[in-house]
Amino acid sequence: MAKIKVTIWNEFYHEKVNDRVKSIYPEGMHACLKEGLACDDFEIRLADLDMPEHGLTEEVLNDTDVLLWWGHCRHDAVSDEVANRVVAHVRNGMGFIPLHSAHYSKPFTRLMGSTCSLYWREVNEHARVWCVNPAHPIAQGLPQQFVIDHEECYGEPFGIPQPDDIVFITWFAGGDVFRGGCTFTRDRGKIFYFHPGHETFPNYKNEYVLKVISNAIRWAAPAPAMPDRGNDYRNPLEPVND
Ligand code: ZN
C-alpha cells in the first residue's frame, strides 16, 4: 500500500523564544508530532513559517496527502499567497488538520468562511474529551472519554459553520464545553479540527491525542478522485423530448 504523505506545518515561534515551551518541545512541536505519529504507512515531512514560501511550495503541496497546521501568534505572517495555495489544495482533495489555535489560521478561517472565534482561558485546568460519535473512523481505538491533565480551555460558542460530524466534545474543569473535534468537507477536501495542543503543555506526547490525530490522517487522506467537475455545457445524455 502506498504511504500517506503527511506534512506537519508549525509557525515554530514559541519554541524559540519561551524557555518553558522550549523545554517541552526542544525541536518544535512539529518534530514531536512527527516522532509520535511515526509508523510504517506515514511518510512525514516538516515545514515551518521561516522557510522560503513557509515550506509550502506547489511542489511540496502536490506531494502532500494530509497537511497538519499549528499556528498561534504569527497567523498574520503567513502570506496570502501561501494561505490561498493551501486552501486551493484542500479544495482539490488534500486533507487538512488544523490543531489548537489554528482555529484562527488563514487557511482554516478561509475554508470555514466564518469568524472561528471562541472563548478561552489559561488556568491549567484538566479536560475530559468525550467521544460522541463512536462509529466515526477518527474515533476507532479510542475510549469513550479520556482526560488531558492540563489544557487551555476553549469554550462555546465556537464560530464555525455546522460541522459534517462532531466526533469529540471536550468538558473543562472550569465548566465550559467545546466542540473540540469536528469534521468538514470543502469540495473534495476533508478537514478535521482538533483542539488539544496549547504550547505550554506536553499534550502532543499524550497517547490518546496522538491516536486521534493518527486516525484523522488516515480518514482525511484523499480517496481516488473523480475528474475535476469543470463548468462546461453538457448535452442531454438521454432523449428528453420523446
Ligand atoms: Zn493555546
Side-chain angles (χ1 to χ4, degrees), residues 14 70 72 100-101 120 122 151-152 154 195 197-201:
H14 296 289
W70 197 100
H72 176 226
H100 189 59
S101 40
W120 60 274
E122 240 187 284
E151 184 52 89
E152 180 180 14
Y154 279 2
H195 81 88
H198 185 66
E199 66 273 8
T200 56
F201 306 121

Side-chain angles (χ1 to χ4, degrees), residues 10-202:
N10 181 10
E11 71 178 19
F12 199 17
Y13 176 71
H14 296 289
E15 299 96 322
K16 293 174 182 166
V17 300
N18 179 314
D19 286 341
R20 179 168 173 185
V21 182
K22 200 183 296 181
S23 72
I24 299 169
Y25 297 117
E27 311 297 325
M29 41 185 114
H30 51 340
C32 178
L33 279 167
K34 180 180 179 183
E35 196 182 319
L37 294 167
C39 62
D40 289 345
D41 47 347
F42 294 168
E43 186 178 310
I44 303 177
R45 69 151 70 83
L46 304 180
D48 69 67
L49 182 67
D50 294 332
M51 295 167 76
E53 300 186 57
H54 313 322
L56 299 176
T57 59
E58 278 291 352
E59 192 183 359
V60 166
L61 292 178
N62 280 331
D63 195 41
T64 298
D65 294 315
V66 180
L67 175 67
L68 277 60
W69 190 284
W70 197 100
H72 176 226
C73 58
R74 301 195 68 202
H75 294 314
D76 288 345
V78 174
S79 78
D80 286 336
E81 185 184 350
V82 168
N84 290 338
R85 185 184 298 156
V86 168
V87 167
H89 277 265
V90 174
R91 289 193 173 282
N92 201 34
M94 182 180 73
F96 184 51
I97 303 178
L99 295 168
H100 189 59
S101 40
H103 71 94
Y104 260 164
S105 65
K106 284 186 180 180
F108 186 61
T109 54
R110 288 172 191 198
L111 285 159
M112 295 298 103
S114 61
T115 66
C116 299
S117 60
L118 47 79
Y119 283 86
W120 60 274
R121 74 176 161 265
E122 240 187 284
V123 296
N124 294 356
E125 66 206 276
H126 71 277
R128 201 174 280 279
V129 180
W130 284 92
C131 174
V132 293
N133 195 339
H136 198 282
I138 296 176
Q140 297 316 298
L142 272 301
Q144 282 186 339
Q145 49 85 25
F146 60 92
V147 172
I148 299 177
D149 291 336
H150 302 285
E151 184 52 89
E152 180 180 14
C153 170
Y154 279 2
E156 297 284 342
F158 185 15
I160 47 172
Q162 190 67 24
D164 292 344
D165 279 308
I166 300 172
V167 188
F168 300 99
I169 294 177
T170 296
W171 168 91
F172 291 88
D176 286 81
V177 293
F178 187 64
R179 290 169 292 167
C182 299
T183 72
F184 306 88
T185 311
R186 290 294 178 273
D187 290 351
R188 288 189 270 177
K190 291 191 258 182
I191 300 164
F192 177 66
Y193 171 80
F194 194 43
H195 81 88
H198 185 66
E199 66 273 8
T200 56
F201 306 121

